[in-house]
Amino acid sequence: MDVGSQEVQGEVWVTVDDDGVGLSGEEAATLFDLTVRSEQEVPLLEGSGLTQVRRIMARHGGWAWAEARGRGGRVVLAFPKDVEVTALEAWLRNDPPGP
């Protein structure tokens, strides 16, 4: 598993790459939905934690999704870049103010 971050078009993306068994396109599309896995002896409500992540992200102007990979998968959390926080960070680093 690898965790990273990058700035993309005014957002900060936090990515989690997993080299496990992989996700199909359908699994990636529904990873953040509430689902029940019928192959379990006692079906448990899977995905509720990820559903909450998506809801919390949306309330704060962000979003979350999963990407299918042949081997493994990727989850991306996209946070909106807050101009006030960016200015405070620059001030704390003694950087000149941006535009």
Side-chain angles (χ1 to χ4, degrees):
M1 186 177 314
D2 184 37
V3 177
S5 67
Q6 61 184 346
E7 287 186 35
V8 179
Q9 299 177 352
E11 296 177 328
V12 176
W13 288 11
V14 176
T15 57
V16 180
D17 291 302
D18 185 359
D19 60 357
V21 297
L23 292 172
S24 70
E26 183 179 342
E27 289 170 326
T30 61
L31 186 63
F32 288 86
D33 297 338
L34 291 173
T35 60
V36 176
R37 295 197 176 181
S38 60
E39 72 271 7
Q40 295 175 338
E41 288 182 26
V42 178
L44 300 174
L45 194 60
E46 290 286 327
S48 62
L50 291 177
T51 299
Q52 293 300 323
V53 166
R54 181 174 268 171
R55 287 179 183 161
I56 292 167
M57 295 290 297
R59 286 184 183 152
H60 294 281
W63 51 308
W65 70 93
E67 298 174 355
R69 300 276 169 104
R71 176 127 174 95
R74 170 181 269 190
V75 171
V76 181
L77 306 176
F79 296 88
K81 193 166 181 182
D82 188 318
V83 175
E84 291 179 17
V85 171
T86 302
L88 177 61
E89 288 172 341
W91 179 77
L92 291 171
R93 287 192 309 259
N94 292 320
D95 290 347

